[in-house]
Amino acid sequence: MRYLCLIYLDERELAAMPQKEMDALNARHLRFNEELVASGHFVEAEALQPAASTTAIRVRNGKPSLTDGPFTETKEMVAGFYVIEARDLNEAIQVAARIPSAPLGTVEVRPCRDLEVGGVAYKASSKSGGRIFNS
């Protein structure tokens, strides 16, 4: 089963981190990615730009409305994510607890779901392997 691990960090603390510490944190993430690939847990991972670079899109009555900045005002923002493959929630939690940024903020672990059409399950991503939807 696939799980999304959302990494929430306080952007002010992250911005204040000395470059040497940031380099060390990024290196730990890159090593962690290699470990996940080797163990078969890795599906995808990305670090995200600061929340100030966010554009929120709302579509109402077929018309998009754009807002600069994050959708909500909060201390912690999504700083990055992993999509992992795990047997169950317990294994996903064990993997997520090893994410190098976990001690700096919060990691939310959420099961991914298939998209069903006509009772047939499809993976949302072709990277996940499985049935591909052809319209």
Side-chain angles (χ1 to χ4, degrees):
M1 176 153 208
R2 294 171 328 279
Y3 290 87
L4 173 65
C5 301
L6 288 171
I7 302 166
Y8 292 90
L9 299 174
D10 184 322
E11 287 189 338
R12 290 174 297 211
E13 290 179 13
L14 207 56
M17 185 180 288
Q19 189 60 47
K20 193 170 189 171
E21 288 181 35
M22 179 60 75
D23 290 349
L25 176 62
N26 289 339
R28 288 195 307 272
H29 271 281
L30 293 171
R31 283 191 298 276
F32 183 66
N33 293 357
E34 292 171 357
E35 291 172 20
L36 292 180
V37 169
S39 68
H41 290 105
F42 188 87
V43 176
E44 189 63 73
E46 289 291 343
L48 301 177
Q49 293 286 334
S53 64
T54 299
T55 300
I57 303 167
R58 289 180 181 226
V59 179
R60 300 295 183 267
N61 298 319
K63 296 185 182 201
S65 171
L66 307 179
T67 305
D68 290 336
F71 176 69
T72 59
E73 294 295 324
T74 181
K75 183 177 174 183
E76 291 185 330
M77 296 298 213
V78 178
F81 69 89
Y82 282 88
V83 177
I84 61 169
E85 189 72 39
R87 280 187 314 275
D88 54 30
L89 180 58
N90 289 331
E91 184 178 40
I93 290 169
Q94 290 172 7
V95 171
R98 296 186 356 246
I99 293 174
S101 296
L104 304 175
T106 302
V107 177
E108 177 183 323
V109 178
R110 187 183 302 183
C112 297
R113 66 180 177 88
D114 292 335
L115 300 175
E116 290 192 20
V117 177
V120 178
Y122 297 90
K123 301 291 183 203
S125 170
S126 61
K127 291 183 177 185
S128 299
R131 183 172 292 173
I132 297 182
F133 182 73
N134 293 314
S135 52

